[in-house]
Amino acid sequence: MLDLIIKNGNLVTKDITKKCDIGIIDGKITQIGENLREDAKEVIDASGEYVIPGVIDPHVHIHHPFKGKYSADDFYTATRAAAFGGTTTFLDFAIQWDKELSLKESLEKRISQSEGEAIIDFGFHVCPTKSEPEIIGELGHIIDMGAPSFKMYMTYSKQGRMSDDGMLLYGLDAVGKKGGILGVHAENDSISLFREKLSIESGNLEATDFPIAKDNIVEAEAVNRVSYINKYVNGNLYIFHLSTKEGLDILAREKGTGNRITAETCIHYLCLDDSYYGKENGHRYICSPPLRSKEDQDALWDGINKGLITTISTDHCGFPTELKDSGNGKYNATPNGLPSIGMLLPLVYTHGVCRGRISINKMVELISTNAAKTFGMYSQKGDIQVGYDADIVIFNPDREIEMKADMMPTDVDWSPYEGMVLKAFPTYTISRGQVIMEKGNVIGDRGRGKYLKRKII
Ligand code: URP
Ligand code: ZN
C-alpha cells in the first residue's frame, strides 16, 4: 500500500518529459511508471499539470541583521512563502557575526535558530568573517560535520565581514583539497568604498546613483582575481549572484582550462533591470550587486544556455518597507536585499520557459538538480528517481496569477514583482511525501523541516 500516488501528471526532470504516475512510501519515491495500479492512502490527480522535483534555493538570508534590526522574516514565515511557491529546500548562511565564536559554534547557533521553525529542509553555507590562520584550520572539520560549502565576502570591510586575499588563497586551497566548495560574494571592496566617498562628496546618493557607484568593474575585477587564485590552488569556487557580462566573459575564458568554477545568478538579475532605480521607491530595489542593464540581462540568459551559469537563486533578503525607507532613499543608508523566497519557479517559468529562453527541462536543472549536485544533496534531492526524497511540485502551466505582495504568507510587506502576471505558482508542494501546500494553503507543520547533513560527491 502506497502512502501517496500522484497520477496522470507530466513528469519533468532535467532529462525527460513524460506522462506517468509516482508512488511514495515513508517520504521516499518508490515507483515511477505508466498507469501504476497500486492502492494508496492518498491520491492526487495531476492531469494536465507538470510534476517536477521540489525547488532548491541555494542562497537565502532569513532574519538578516541591519543596524541592530532584522529582516522581516523568521524561519517559519520565510519557509511558508517558500512552500507557497514550490521551494522544498533552501540553503542559508551561518555567518560568524560574533567573532568570538568558532565556525562550528556559529553553525550550531544558526541550526538551533532554525530547528523547530522551518517547514522545509535546509542547510547552511558557513561564512567566516575573520582572516586568520586559525579559521583555515577549522574548515576541514566543518566539512566533516556535513557542511561542505562556504561563503567569503570580498567586500563589506567596513562591516567587518570581508575576507582578505590571503584568506581566499588558503581557504580555496583547504576547502578544495577536502572536497568542499567555497563561494564568494565577488565585489571589489576598495573601488566600492572610493566610489561611496565620491558619491558623498558630490551628493550623488540617490538610488539611480547606486548602479553607477557599483558598476560592472566592481564585480568583474573581483571575479577575475578570485578565479586566478582558485586556479593557482586548484580550488573549487562558486560565484554567488553573478550579474555582469564582464563576469561571464571571465568564466568563458576559464571554461575548459581546468579551473573549477561554478556560477549562480539570481532571479532579479534575470527579471528586473537598473531602470527600477528610477521608479517611485526605487531605493527599495537596492541590493548587492545592483540590478544591471538589459544588455547584462541578455548576457546572463546567454550564459545560462552556454552552461556558464548553472544555478539560479533568489538571494532572498526581506527587509520591510519601514527599514528599506529608513535611510531616506540614500543608497548607502538603505539595507541591501530583495524579498523573493518562493518566487524561483513562477519567475523562471514565466520569464524563461514561457518566453522561449530555456526549455522546461533546463529550468528543472537550474532551480533544483544542479543546486543538489553542487552542494552535496544529490543522492537525496534535486530529482525524481526511485529512492529519492519525495520532494515534488505540481503546477498547472495555464494558470496565471497577478503577483501581489500580500499573497505570500510572509511578514514582508512589499514585493519587487508586484503586478507582474506570473504562471507556475504550484497547486501542490510536497516535501518528503507530505503535502505542505495545497491550492494556495500552506499546511506543513511548523518545525517539520530537517537540517540536512551534506556531502559533495
Ligand atoms: O543585497 C544583498 N544581496 N543582500 C543580501 C544580504 C547581504 O548582506 O549579503
Ligand atoms: Zn546573498
Side-chain angles (χ1 to χ4, degrees), residues 49-62:
E49 309 213 30
Y50 283 123
V51 178
I52 66 169
V55 175
I56 300 176
D57 190 340
H59 180 172
V60 306
H61 303 268
I62 294 172

Side-chain angles (χ1 to χ4, degrees), residues 127-131 135 151-157 160-168 182 184 189 225:
C127 180
T129 57
K130 289 197 292 194
S131 297
I135 300 289
K151 177 175 179 181
M152 291 190 190
Y153 284 92
M154 296 174 75
T155 188
Y156 298 145
S157 59
R161 269 200 266 175
M162 189 176 95
S163 291
D164 65 22
D165 291 346
M167 185 70 182
L168 289 172
L182 195 156
V184 288
D189 191 59
R225 181 165 24 111

Side-chain angles (χ1 to χ4, degrees), residues 61 64 151 153 156 161 185 241 286-288 315 317 336-337:
H61 303 268
H64 190 76
K151 177 175 179 181
Y153 284 92
Y156 298 145
R161 269 200 266 175
H185 175 125
H241 49 51
I286 299 233
C287 58
S288 278
D315 194 1
C317 195
N336 287 336

Side-chain angles (χ1 to χ4, degrees), residues 267-338:
I267 193 62
H268 38 280
Y269 304 116
L270 296 172
C271 304
L272 305 174
D273 60 67
D274 55 8
S275 67
Y276 279 76
Y277 292 121
K279 297 191 181 198
E280 194 186 353
N281 292 320
H283 62 279
R284 292 186 186 160
Y285 290 82
I286 299 233
C287 58
S288 278
L291 299 177
R292 303 291 186 189
S293 68
K294 285 262 182 225
E295 206 186 335
D296 288 300
Q297 192 180 87
D298 289 343
L300 293 173
W301 283 110
D302 193 43
I304 282 173
N305 281 313
K306 288 185 173 142
L308 297 170
I309 291 172
T310 53
T311 46
I312 305 176
S313 74
T314 59
D315 194 1
H316 166 83
C317 195
F319 287 106
T321 51
E322 189 201 342
L323 278 181
K324 275 287 187 186
D325 299 347
S326 62
N328 297 320
K330 303 284 173 263
Y331 80 70
N332 62 340
T334 303
N336 287 336
L338 301 177

Side-chain angles (χ1 to χ4, degrees), residues 100-389:
E100 298 297 311
L101 296 185
S102 66
L103 294 186
K104 179 171 178 281
E105 288 163 338
S106 305
L107 175 60
E108 285 166 348
K109 187 172 172 189
R110 196 71 172 144
I111 295 170
S112 69
Q113 273 178 359
S114 48
E115 271 177 344
E117 294 291 317
I119 294 181
I120 59 172
D121 295 348
F122 58 94
F124 296 107
H125 308 290
V126 175
C127 180
T129 57
K130 289 197 292 194
S131 297
E132 300 293 342
E134 88 212 27
I135 300 289
I136 301 298
E138 268 204 81
L139 299 172
H141 302 302
I142 299 292
I143 295 174
D144 290 338
M145 279 172 70
S149 54
F150 298 86
K151 177 175 179 181
M152 291 190 190
Y153 284 92
M154 296 174 75
T155 188
Y156 298 145
S157 59
K158 270 206 317 200
Q159 299 170 19
R161 269 200 266 175
M162 189 176 95
S163 291
D164 65 22
D165 291 346
M167 185 70 182
L168 289 172
L169 178 76
Y170 282 87
L172 281 163
D173 185 29
V175 170
K177 283 199 170 77
K178 196 68 186 161
I181 187 162
L182 195 156
V184 288
H185 175 125
E187 288 191 302
N188 180 301
D189 191 59
S190 61
I191 299 177
S192 306
L193 290 178
F194 200 86
R195 291 269 184 70
E196 192 186 329
K197 279 188 212 154
L198 289 174
S199 294
I200 291 168
E201 268 177 26
S202 58
N204 294 327
L205 287 165
E206 300 307 310
T208 44
D209 298 315
F210 180 60
I212 302 168
K214 280 204 179 189
D215 69 0
N216 294 19
I217 191 178
V218 172
E219 174 174 281
E221 189 285 327
V223 171
N224 192 46
R225 181 165 24 111
V226 74
S227 298
Y228 190 89
I229 295 174
N230 188 59
K231 177 81 177 291
Y232 192 78
V233 296
N234 188 28
N236 188 14
L237 172 66
Y238 185 78
I239 310 283
F240 283 103
H241 49 51
L242 191 85
S243 63
T244 58
K245 58 184 180 333
E246 289 84 349
L248 275 166
D249 289 344
I250 294 159
L251 297 189
R253 183 192 75 198
E254 295 303 305
K255 199 176 164 78
T257 67
N259 198 352
R260 291 191 293 163
I261 310 178
T262 319
E264 155 200 290
T265 192
C266 305
I267 193 62
H268 38 280
Y269 304 116
L270 296 172
C271 304
L272 305 174
D273 60 67
D274 55 8
S275 67
Y276 279 76
Y277 292 121
K279 297 191 181 198
E280 194 186 353
N281 292 320
H283 62 279
R284 292 186 186 160
Y285 290 82
I286 299 233
C287 58
S288 278
L291 299 177
R292 303 291 186 189
S293 68
K294 285 262 182 225
E295 206 186 335
D296 288 300
Q297 192 180 87
D298 289 343
L300 293 173
W301 283 110
D302 193 43
I304 282 173
N305 281 313
K306 288 185 173 142
L308 297 170
I309 291 172
T310 53
T311 46
I312 305 176
S313 74
T314 59
D315 194 1
H316 166 83
C317 195
F319 287 106
T321 51
E322 189 201 342
L323 278 181
K324 275 287 187 186
D325 299 347
S326 62
N328 297 320
K330 303 284 173 263
Y331 80 70
N332 62 340
T334 303
N336 287 336
L338 301 177
S340 48
I341 196 164
M343 297 296 294
L344 271 180
L345 172 58
L347 287 167
V348 178
Y349 186 77
T350 308
H351 288 257
V353 180
C354 295
R355 296 193 180 168
R357 284 163 159 153
I358 53 170
S359 71
I360 191 165
N361 308 90
K362 182 79 177 174
M363 176 189 82
V364 168
E365 207 180 342
L366 289 161
I367 64 172
S368 183
T369 316
N370 286 344
K373 287 184 175 170
T374 305
F375 295 115
M377 298 175 277
Y378 191 58
S379 56
Q380 199 180 347
K381 298 196 182 281
D383 209 346
I384 294 188
Q385 286 190 38
V386 169
Y388 272 54
D389 284 357

